Amino acid sequence: MPDFPDNLRPREPNGPDILRNERERSPISAQEIGVHLFSHDGFLQRQARVLAILQREPLLKKTQQSQLSRVDRFKLAVARGKLIRRLQDIHGWSLEDYQMAHYLVDEPTPYHLHMQMFRTTVLEQASDDQQAFWLPKIERWDIIGAYAQTELAHGSNVQGIELEARWDPQTRSFVLHSPTLTASKWWNGTLGRMANHAIVMAKLRLPQSSGGWVSHGPQAFIVQVRDLESHLPLDGVVIGDIGTKYGYNTMDNAFMLFNNFRIPHSALLCRYVRVDPATGTFSKPEKPVAVYGSMTNVRARIVHDAGLALARAATVAVRYTAIRRQFRDRDSLEPNSSELAVLDYSTVQIRVLPLLAAAFALHYTGRAMYHSYQRTRDEIERGNFANLAYIHGLSSALKSLCTTMTADGIEVCRRSMGGHGFGGGSGLVQLNNDYLAKPTVEGDNWMITQQAASFIIKKMSAAAEASSEFCEDKMVVEFQAFLQHRDTTPGFDVLGNDEDLCASFRWRLASLAYETYDARIVNKRRWNDLLLQLHRLSEAQAQSFLISTFLESLISSRELSPPAREVLLDLFRLLALTIVKADSYEFLRCGAVERASLDALPNRIQALMARIRPHAVNLVDSWMIPDYLLDSALGRFDGRVYEDLWHRAYKLNPLNRVTFNPDYRNDEIVKGSGETGMAILSKI
Amino acid sequence: MPDFPDNLRPREPNGPDILRNERERSPISAQEIGVHLFSHDGFLQRQARVLAILQREPLLKKTQQSQLSRVDRFKLAVARGKLIRRLQDIHGWSLEDYQMAHYLVDEPTPYHLHMQMFRTTVLEQASDDQQAFWLPKIERWDIIGAYAQTELAHGSNVQGIELEARWDPQTRSFVLHSPTLTASKWWNGTLGRMANHAIVMAKLRLPQSSGGWVSHGPQAFIVQVRDLESHLPLDGVVIGDIGTKYGYNTMDNAFMLFNNFRIPHSALLCRYVRVDPATGTFSKPEKPVAVYGSMTNVRARIVHDAGLALARAATVAVRYTAIRRQFRDRDSLEPNSSELAVLDYSTVQIRVLPLLAAAFALHYTGRAMYHSYQRTRDEIERGNFANLAYIHGLSSALKSLCTTMTADGIEVCRRSMGGHGFGGGSGLVQLNNDYLAKPTVEGDNWMITQQAASFIIKKMSAAAEASSEFCEDKMVVEFQAFLQHRDTTPGFDVLGNDEDLCASFRWRLASLAYETYDARIVNKRRWNDLLLQLHRLSEAQAQSFLISTFLESLISSRELSPPAREVLLDLFRLLALTIVKADSYEFLRCGAVERASLDALPNRIQALMARIRPHAVNLVDSWMIPDYLLDSALGRFDGRVYEDLWHRAYKLNPLNRVTFNPDYRNDEIVKGSGETGMAILSKI
């Protein structure tokens, strides 16, 4: 290829100069805010330490991975999964270090379920004896495990799964059998190609002396499914990968059917449930087991990670739109004024800056959930279950809201970058595709809001039915206060007072809670007729928590200097007021916000964006997301956007090594090869 | 593989029975509505005729294409592009037939720009002599052409492009030269690997007798860029494909740099502009050329196609969620009630049904725009340019709104299907990825709304400045009426009267138009400070047009039977009221809707959805989208959802022919192959 392009430079002003200027003109320190965000758990030190090791590995270079076929892409993921596990051995990494490595490599690893749901379920549901047998094998990766619950026809409704585990008293064993095609396990990660063991959820059926069967609902079995030598499925088991998906193509999501497959009595995880091998009788604890706790932990992590993912998209969008210039100011009096940075347009700011604010809110909220989980866990160990239902409900509401915000937000950031946002150089393609699983997994975002709403209705019932009594429950107390004053206008100063802004969110939550309580409890309306209202109620709770946590985190952070705090407070206000604006009428109707404030909102939001704008680059820098993770020409720290786009296209793109034959009358595709179209299809 | 799965059936009720029942219980006829939608231009007959031919071609089977690497995926697209062109020869297809084939095969073809922008530009901007020379070659595909305008640093702002075409009086030729890296052409489809010619937009620079250069802005040149024998770029030209993207990976979007590349005087397309070869003087027509017309036509097509794309997503979502069952009704008194269809939940309806309604609205709107374009074109040919600015502005507003609705809507449909919506069996993966280009191409959706707003402000100025005069302009008359009554409350009955509902949209448009006029014209605010308001104004116009056109199309359709019309009217109401709900406060503030109506909206919307629900399957059937185009296990006409998902996974997935070595201590990836991870990377 000719080398004259090597002598060309991008037009002025160039990216590095622009970013240097952006960084210098803002008085806030990215370093200071970064420490404020991450100092609590050594995140930044861990990131730096692990990153240095990963960047030495050619196998972990990301530049070409989007070029691969599904089969090769998966092979690469397997190779990387093995390498990272070996690096763990070599460098003596903790579990957190190992997870950091996967976060930075940034692809779902086909080994993921082994150390997650497989191991966790053994820890939580296996008896001590079972743990003594299985855990050493799991920790050493002598076996590879997965978690098989969801089926072709049932996901959300776990009670509806069809796979059966029938107890055979003769041989004192269980028989796993899939009575229908829809009983096939489906979606189970790590199982499609990798695992040789799995936790298998199956409906336990015990024979009755009278002749029939009685079902005891889904129970967990630990089952070997593949041969340890040949790695082929055992007789009576059919397993495979379900195929390409929207994202997560480095994961081997499985199908799995059983044909009268026999497993021993010891396969039933029996920390809490038991089938007596002699009598075939079933026993379980009187109180339902508290498994919500770990789900809350998982969701706290999801919310925290949602913040990181959104910050990543915002980092790319802010840096690129600060560099990108397009159009002169049409009202400028200077005839030769230079083109404006795209980030200076309010139509770009309105899309990117509230999402940057949201990333901070999600970060603080994830952390608050994690602390809440820790506290509640401690309480549970002391026998106090009071807060369990609250944090389970809240975690449903937050998981739903936060993953939707991030899934939508990544795409908004991507689109804010115009054409180049659609190109592979954005670094947001795989992020977007993979992240879009999140609104569905761990509880569909439109389904689990019922759990949050259900809890809130209970609290409103308690408040309404005992409105004059003293109560310790914070939510009940707030609802009581609302009920006493709901005919008045609270008169919150949402534009002038940050606490009032939070109070307006709480007032609106209480108002929606009361309406829903009135519909369901007082007027006995059918649950399914109220689903939209329940969803709104859950969203209102999550938004209120998000906003309050944002403000509280800023107020309680002693380490923040006044200029940094003021900019972060502006972000808080921008996010809160953007939400108010989107739901203006709802806030108005219940009196949480007055008309004069709503009418002033557009100008206020625009003024906040103008105040935040000069600090935007430093604000995204404060997230300290390394270039290796961003993998983005548009979002590079040094601003060499156009050079990198050019380099990727001119030097790295394998398609440019193929010369085509464009003549449609000729079957040949690659010039001089004689290869026809059918040759490509027959490759698969 | 074991064959016991072949004997398994899905659980009851099965998909085919469910869909049969859905189709029978609704009294409306999909056939009737289908004819109503498509009869005007023989669309359905063409679809059937072309489809029969395509389905015989093994190369056009879609089942495995998502498995391929980028290079192979592109090769396949080239092979298909050639095949379809050959089929055109064989079957004597018209241009519409040829386009139908591409619509059904459903991938951007690498030949796309040749018959579109390349040919169109020659038709519009080449002189008669130039056309006589070039058109026969183009029609015969003796040459393959592309269109190179956008550059690395400039897209929206065409005036900012950097590529130069300097006139050399000595040799009477132009010299194309890229002075910077950012002057590289970028994004130009069909050019990266396929084309040997291109329309090249370059800044024309003519030497001054005084020694300097004078620029005459971007002009179009027709340029040979590759050798017709070797298909390699000519000396002084660097061309290649820019790499993988979010979608459109079957298109070879290009980069292209010129290094003092000489082209003849005849390269400048000279229907309207001219450089005198003897004197080097430039001439152009006194009036700017009316090129808006064809852009409106392109946009009409984009809006119409947005309807088809959204209908396709809605077809998949409605059929699948009608079949999918999950959870029993918790308020049911029957202990053994069966699980509910997911589409019976209002939380699913609220996502899918307004989008189904939107598909109809987009369809009617695209058709109305096309008629508008035809009328305006006839007027222009008679020398009447009065409507040109109106339809150009409106087409900007509609392109922006409609492609955003569809891009967002496809994803909403996909997510409404939960887990299986994330799987490849949805048939929406490539549609989503490819469609996401639309909000950016042909004018970025957040940028072009300024064009619409600018026109509306002019009309409001006219209305305000001559409010008592008689005027022919429909929009001015409406604005005058608004100005006369804007202190009154119009009292529209938006819940009871369809015409009033449309009137409330027009009232809100007029109100926003007045506010914007007041800010810009009266108070002289800076244009760039008003961008968000301008965007809202454009959206309001587009929404008003969409809603009115929907209603008018139903009222004026004589062929619709009363039951069908009533269901379609419900769809109209659902869409309109959903928009009102989303912007409640805006409608309230200007008096277009009253509080009592807003408070009644949630119940009204839910009631409408309940009325539409029984007809949902027939309504999507009426779009007559063939299974071949859907390529969806979830959306198949016959409802065999689970069988198809199983078949794709169990029989077709090539990953299941690879047995992996899961031992992390062992470098080997494929069991027994000895192949390591680096072997995969080194393939590229």
Side-chain angles (χ1 to χ4, degrees), chain A residues 34-47:
Chain A
V35 169
H36 153 74
L37 286 174
F38 296 111
S39 66
H40 59 290
D41 62 354
F43 181 92
L44 292 179
Q45 291 79 355
R46 171 171 293 121
Q47 177 171 278

Side-chain angles (χ1 to χ4, degrees), chain A residues 66 82 89 140 154 157 193 241 244 329 331 339 526-527 585 599 653 656 658 661 664-665 668, chain B residues 66 82 89 140 154 157 193 241 244 329 331 339 526-527 585 653 656 658 661 664-665 668:
Chain A
S66 69
K82 292 184 179 198
D89 284 354
R140 285 195 308 264
H154 284 92
N157 182 13
R193 301 279 79 202
D241 173 275
T244 51
D329 180 352
D331 290 329
E339 291 185 289
R526 296 177 75 88
W527 186 260
Y585 186 63
D599 290 339
N653 183 3
N656 291 329
V658 184
N661 181 339
Y664 83 92
R665 298 169 189 87
E668 179 187 75
Chain B
S66 69
K82 293 184 177 196
D89 283 355
R140 285 195 307 265
H154 283 92
N157 183 12
R193 301 278 80 200
D241 173 275
T244 52
D329 181 350
D331 291 330
E339 292 185 288
R526 295 177 76 86
W527 185 261
Y585 186 64
N653 183 2
N656 291 328
V658 184
N661 180 341
Y664 83 91
R665 296 168 189 89
E668 178 187 75

Side-chain angles (χ1 to χ4, degrees), chain A residues 659-678:
Chain A
T659 302
F660 288 85
N661 181 339
D663 179 8
Y664 83 92
R665 298 169 189 87
N666 192 329
D667 248 357
E668 179 187 75
I669 304 303
V670 176
K671 196 92 184 170
S673 71
E675 185 191 50
T676 68
M678 283 312 292

